[in-house]
Amino acid sequence: MTGLLALGVIPGASPAADDAWFANLRSQRVESDPSIVWRQFGPGMSGNNYRLFWHPTDPNIVFLGPNMGNAYRSTDRGTTYETILDCDGPGYKSNERGPIELTSPDFSRQNPDFGFCGARAPGLLYTTADRGRTWTRHTVSDPVWGGTELDTIAVDPTDDRIWYVGSGSGSDINHFTHTLVDPHGAGTLKGGGLRGGIPAGYAARIWKTTDRGAHWHAVTPTGLNLRAQIVRVVVDPARHETVYAATSFGFYKSTDGGSHWKAKTGAGLDHDIIRSLDMHYDPTSGAMTLYALDLVQWAVDPKNPKSVTNDGGGLFRSTDRGESWQKINGDLGVNIAVLGSDYAFRKAYFKSLEAWFGIKNAEKVYPVLPPHLMHSFLGVRVDPRNPNKIFLLNDYKSQPTTFFGGMLWRTDDGGRHWIATLRNGTAWAGNHKAYWEGRGNPTSYNLELRGQKKWSLRDSYERKAGGSVGFNSDGTMIMYQWAKVLCVSTDGGDTWVENDEIEATPGTQDWVGAGDSNLPGHGLRQDPRLPEVLFCMSGENDLWVTTADGGNVRPGAQAARRIQLGDEEYSCSDMTLDPRDPNVIYTVQARQAHAGELLRSGNGGQTFQSIGTVIEWPDGQTKNSNIAQLCLTLDPENPANMYLCVLKDGRTFGYTGANIGAGFGVRRSSDGGATWAWANKGLASAANANVPCLRLDPRDSSKLYAGVYGQKGGLFVSTDRAASWSALRTFPVNITSVLDLHFSKDGKMYVSCGTPDGKWQDGGVWVSADGGRTWNQIFQTPCTRMTKTAAYDPKVILVALNSEKDKDIRNPGTYLSKDGGISWTKINRGNPQSDRVNDIAIDQVKPDVYYVSTYGAGWLRADRVASTTSNGNLK
């Protein structure tokens, strides 16, 4: 403790921290306790996923790379998932945790455990030796890529020494689009900036290795447009020197292992702008069939300038190894004049014209609805057992230049006749039934939804679509990512079922997720009046509560039930219960429906009403923008006094999205939430008060504390209901940034503080046993996000240590002490986002049960278990 005494800090009642242990934590990798494992609970996927890949030879293994910074593997065809990220690795910005949002994995045909994959970030290649359970950064190849994203990876099926890698980001369909102005495609990064073929320095490349990745050399086709996206590379299974490359600037073929290429321009494709490529191979006959999806384009109808028409593109097939192509669109294309009688369909149609032509008011420019127009498909997949069974993906959610009327299409006869094979919406068997039956399309509703039952038949044509579909290696299962859920079919696409979650007890709506959550978590709330319940807030998925029946699905599983805030999509930022009546629930919303409003339920969550506006949304900002509102607090003496804090930048603290300029700091209401005002007077740099925590003193409700983050922050106190604030005079002067304050049951105050680039002496966790007069440091790190203690034993302490938005630390994660802070254990096993935790909790009554909420991997519960695998998953 000499270091602390030298700072002039007077030791309190709490024990000294182990200086040597923390010195090691700050400098060396520390492994987690393998006996404590985190497992997800709540809904399944619950977010967008554009990356779904089956193992090429193992029909039970599938990989997912959802868009909230995750990566998962299932070894039981999607029944359960495990993270493939390194839970004990450094922060996610380091790229050492594994292939976050993995891309294009492929595996040796001689050794199915050995493979490579990319990630949705520039210049990253990873390798695995255990069938994708763990991945290691292939740093030896870093200088090769020059920061270019790797969008396709392929192995020679006859020789796993030989691999090909292609550049680009065209598969990032949420940010990459094709338009009339730029039919070859362009993309933008969230928050601005360019990607794909546009950024300075990008140049289309194909690389090859002949020694399993030890060395790489470029084999890029001569003359390939430098903007080209390498859509896919395929090695001929029967002629391994023959290699095919599908690009956004044409199809290329090499017969000498990539040394020389021949462009097959004019071989039958309409535009030579390939969006997707698939292959079927018959090992008995040696026959290989290639399927290329050429960009579907529209043009002004020369016969009627008030309408539009098809201008080529669609699906093409080659049975002579890419020498020639035949169009197999068959009866693809729908009658817009008929389907346009539905308002939602017509609206989507005109929006797609505006995006494609780059115009406004398409309904006025092209008011005549055409009798036949094709969707702008973006993906093709073929059944490995049947070259005539083909699926086309129409993702009108992510791609602006297409429209409703079938999100997934299929042919069973090689392209002569096509049907919409997944149908959710009332128009199929309703007002458009005769049209669909007339073209030989089934009209039955054929999707079984589980946790997302509210989406069943909610629209005439389902408003959301999906961006990824794939067959497992033996063709017995098709998996389709539809909006926020994964659906599977085991009958060739005739029927589909959501398999992300299972109802724990029939009729209860208590769900056990599969472990592939992409849910943006928010806070966790507990109330001593409800000791068995944990409230879980979330982005896009309302409010949830834990239930006790998860063991009905699988041993040790935690179930949860949704509290529906309304009929729309809600992002519950925080909630609290009325101190007089636990059946009265208040919530605030970070975005989407009722964003910035205070909702109240007087019947335990059965119904909610808006009772006030906490935050006025800035002009010009949509309700899809994000404003994190935390620490919703009611005065127990007078609940009409309400308080909360608004974050300056939610990403800094593990939440999605940034504050969009509505102001930040403390908000208060004195009339039960009807009206709100800023209450920042006296806070450090009041105009810039970044306040991540707000707490009432449980022993004296007249005292309200605010933690202010940043170099001019600290711990502030108000004794006049937030009318004014002053710095706590007895707080250590070296601590200038506070992230969290927690009061334990034995009367201690725990402050989590610091900045990522600060000194450990000024951060970590500090505790006071005498009401804040003296303080002692018990967790020695430069920055700690938050601390909680157990209600049943205040010596049980849980701490979260995050990697912040733009700064990494060596050992982010969750830490546990059971002796009041004398010793600590790292407990990250099984948590894919152990470095991005936005809240923690300790079960109020069950020992050795802990909870975390994460940036984008939902909620997780940790239990002590008997045996785990090396990455923390149950054996």
Side-chain angles (χ1 to χ4, degrees), residues 374-488:
M374 281 181 57
H375 295 96
S376 184
F377 299 103
L378 64 83
V380 58
R381 290 294 179 266
V382 62
D383 189 331
R385 302 172 299 179
N386 181 359
N388 292 314
K389 191 179 190 71
I390 312 162
F391 284 71
L392 287 177
L393 192 62
N394 176 35
D395 183 10
Y396 48 78
K397 176 185 181 295
S398 301
Q399 292 288 287
T401 54
T402 189
F403 49 86
F404 294 169
M407 63 180 84
L408 191 60
W409 288 73
R410 147 186 154 218
T411 179
D412 296 327
D413 59 9
R416 290 187 295 275
H417 174 57
W418 293 85
I419 65 169
T421 190
L422 190 154
R423 298 172 295 278
N424 186 44
T426 59
W428 302 97
N431 59 324
H432 290 159
K433 181 177 181 180
Y435 167 75
W436 290 111
E437 288 182 341
R439 55 172 290 137
N441 203 114
T443 58
S444 60
Y445 174 70
N446 67 343
L447 170 62
E448 177 192 336
L449 287 173
R450 293 176 177 173
Q452 292 290 354
K453 279 190 169 104
K454 67 174 184 176
W455 286 3
S456 300
L457 300 174
R458 62 177 177 173
D459 302 310
S460 53
Y461 289 101
E462 170 55 46
R463 72 189 73 168
K464 295 181 181 289
S468 193
V469 65
F471 286 85
N472 68 343
S473 62
D474 64 11
T476 57
M477 178 175 281
I478 313 166
M479 184 174 285
Y480 172 60
Q481 173 72 42
W482 169 58
K484 297 198 297 184
V485 297
L486 276 165
C487 304
V488 297

Side-chain angles (χ1 to χ4, degrees), residues 12 58 143 167 212 286 307 309 311 338 421 442 495 532 589 594 686 696 717 724 730 745 797 862:
D58 189 328
S167 68
R212 296 185 178 88
S307 186
T309 187
D311 190 23
V338 172
T421 190
T495 60
E532 302 291 336
Q589 285 58 242
H594 293 282
L696 271 176
V717 63
S724 63
T730 54
K745 288 295 182 181
I797 309 174

Side-chain angles (χ1 to χ4, degrees), residues 41 87 139 179 263 339 355 368 386 563 630 644 709 718 749 755 859:
F41 65 92
C87 302
T139 54
T179 64
L339 301 185
V368 178
N386 181 359
I563 295 179
L630 305 178
L644 58 73
Y709 176 78
S718 173
M749 300 170 65
T755 58
W859 313 295

Side-chain angles (χ1 to χ4, degrees), residues 725-806:
W725 299 87
S726 59
L728 185 66
R729 293 190 302 271
T730 54
F731 199 54
V733 295
N734 56 295
I735 302 176
T736 59
S737 176
V738 171
L739 292 89
D740 186 51
L741 170 64
H742 168 75
F743 292 90
S744 63
K745 288 295 182 181
D746 60 355
K748 294 179 181 178
M749 300 170 65
Y750 290 82
V751 169
S752 306
C753 54
T755 58
D757 50 2
K759 299 177 181 179
W760 68 262
Q761 295 92 339
D762 306 333
V765 178
W766 294 68
V767 61
S768 174
D770 54 13
R773 290 187 294 274
T774 61
W775 295 84
N776 199 17
Q777 189 184 35
I778 63 168
F779 201 82
Q780 300 176 2
T781 54
C783 187
T784 301
R785 175 65 184 95
M786 62 178 51
T787 305
K788 294 285 172 44
T789 59
Y792 57 82
D793 181 359
K795 289 186 178 181
V796 178
I797 309 174
L798 198 63
V799 164
L801 182 63
N802 274 8
S803 172
E804 292 202 3
K805 180 180 64 173
D806 297 316

